[in-house]
Each structure stands twice: as C-alpha cells, then as structure tokens.
Amino acid sequence: MILVDSNVIIDVLSLNPAWRAWSEAALADAADHDEIAINPIIYAEISAGFATMAALDAHLGLGEFRRLALPYAAGFVAGRAFVDYRRRGGMRTSPLPDFYIGAHAAIAGFRLLTRNARRYVGYFPGVELTAPDYRS
C-alpha cells in the first residue's frame, strides 16, 4: 500500500507548473505497482480547492484511491513526533497534519509518496519514501 501525500495530488489537480509532471509520473508509477490510498487528513487538505464534496470526489475518482481510516496509534505517534519537532525548535504553526500522515504510514507499514521528504525523514525514519531526489 502506498499512502499519497496531499501535495502530490494537489500538484496534479491544480496543474502546478513546477511539480505536475513529477507528481503525475510518480502517482502513475505508484498505481502501477501497488494500491494507492489517502486518509481523512489528506482528503481534508485536498478539499480546500473544491466547493463541494461531490466535486472533489469527481476529480479524485472514487475508485482510484483507497480511503483509509486513521488508526488511533497514528494519533499518538503523530503527537510524539510533533513534541520532538517542537523540542528541535520547530514553529508552533507547523501543520500537525504532516505528522498524522507520516505516523499513519509508519504505524501501517505503508510506503509514502510525497514531494517533500524533508518533512518525514527525520521524524519517521522507518517509513519508505518516494520523493524527488530521495533514495530510501
């Protein structure tokens, strides 16, 4: 299973000129090799660009992404990673959602497709990442 970070999906849906090509290719490759998934946090981050849930679902494709619940253990791991982040001098405004996404991948043993490995590698070292210019 490959958990797909919201930034990859947003790149594709928004036609991001800087990242669309990489994100489309990485997403297609992931889907060719394994089941791809999102969770409610990822869904929430993507939803900001849509007026209705129906519009978002139409753009996502109902069958393309497996929709997973967040395990409670991921909440604990995300909280601990956030505490570590703060101890390292991280700003309080950093989005907790990234920690939930990384923790979900860590708890479930999923690979994570993201274009920002830096957000995950230091706090979730056991998570296999697919990211630009990153080798796990």
Side-chain angles (χ1 to χ4, degrees), residues 13-126:
L13 295 177
S14 69
L15 309 177
N16 181 314
W19 288 104
R20 179 183 178 194
W22 183 89
S23 293
E24 279 182 344
L27 190 55
D29 185 60
D32 285 346
H33 291 94
D34 207 341
E35 190 171 11
I36 56 175
I38 60 174
N39 65 31
I41 300 291
I42 296 164
Y43 189 85
E45 289 185 319
I46 298 164
S47 73
F50 294 88
T52 67
M53 195 170 163
L56 172 56
D57 288 342
H59 278 84
L60 278 180
L62 291 176
E64 294 189 35
F65 293 92
R66 185 165 175 202
R67 293 164 188 231
L68 305 172
L70 278 169
Y72 273 84
F76 181 81
V77 171
R80 299 308 310 151
F82 188 72
V83 167
D84 188 30
Y85 166 81
R86 293 286 296 133
R87 284 188 183 136
R88 294 180 189 185
M91 297 179 60
R92 191 174 300 270
T93 58
S94 176
L96 188 55
D98 289 341
F99 290 101
Y100 264 111
I101 293 166
H104 188 183
I107 291 297
F110 297 153
R111 184 167 194 83
L112 179 61
L113 172 59
T114 182
R115 75 168 148 80
N116 194 346
R118 182 180 50 85
R119 289 188 182 168
Y120 300 104
V121 71
Y123 298 97
F124 306 100

